[in-house]
Amino acid sequence: MSIQTFDSLEALVQTVRQTEINEWIFTNLDRFQSNPIDNAYYIIPEEELWELEDAGLTVTNHLDESIPAALPDHHVQTWLEVATVQDVIEVLHRSGSKPSLQRIAQGLQYYYEYDAFME
């Protein structure tokens, strides 16, 4: 599996709903907080990141995490795991009608900040 790039939360959510992998999702948190809907997201398989590190093709972000040098934004960082995003969406579905993309963004931000589900 290679790095998957998503140019919006909608694209990420559509993919996450249909995947069985559990890798970390990376994003720029400053951009997420100002515009989560049109933010960029990356699923970077851990094994691929290790291979890039071994080849000298990574840079270190502001949190001292290795990220692929080829990413256009070197301020991305680990955010949530795919399974966590799936769980947040599932909890929001169970709490009533189908959640809007904005509601999903709020639920993801809440989980990131409090390590708890927003009901």
Side-chain angles (χ1 to χ4, degrees):
M1 175 184 220
S2 60
I3 297 171
Q4 293 179 282
T5 302
F6 307 93
D7 61 358
S8 68
L9 184 60
E10 182 177 15
L12 175 69
V13 167
Q14 287 175 357
T15 297
V16 163
R17 285 182 175 163
Q18 301 170 11
T19 192
E20 294 189 21
I21 63 164
N22 191 29
E23 298 286 353
W24 280 100
I25 300 170
F26 290 69
T27 196
N28 180 320
L29 286 183
D30 290 335
R31 290 186 181 163
F32 175 84
Q33 291 171 349
S34 66
N35 186 0
I37 304 298
D38 295 318
N39 191 27
Y41 302 89
Y42 308 91
I43 296 177
I44 305 173
E46 194 170 32
E47 288 183 20
E48 182 164 344
L49 192 53
W50 292 337
E51 290 172 12
L52 291 171
E53 281 180 309
D54 291 344
L57 299 174
T58 59
V59 295
T60 304
N61 67 10
H62 60 290
L63 296 176
D64 205 30
E65 299 173 325
S66 291
I67 59 170
L71 291 181
D73 181 354
H74 290 175
H75 291 97
V76 300
Q77 67 186 65
T78 53
W79 178 49
L80 297 169
E81 290 178 301
V82 169
T84 302
V85 173
Q86 291 169 332
D87 290 345
V88 167
I89 293 168
E90 176 61 29
V91 167
L92 291 171
H93 271 283
R94 283 188 275 150
S95 67
S97 60
K98 180 180 176 186
S100 67
L101 209 49
Q102 189 61 42
R103 182 81 172 143
I104 291 171
Q106 291 169 344
L108 294 170
Q109 180 65 26
Y110 188 91
Y111 189 92
Y112 182 80
E113 288 181 20
Y114 302 107
D115 197 23
F117 294 105
M118 182 176 76
E119 305 262 348

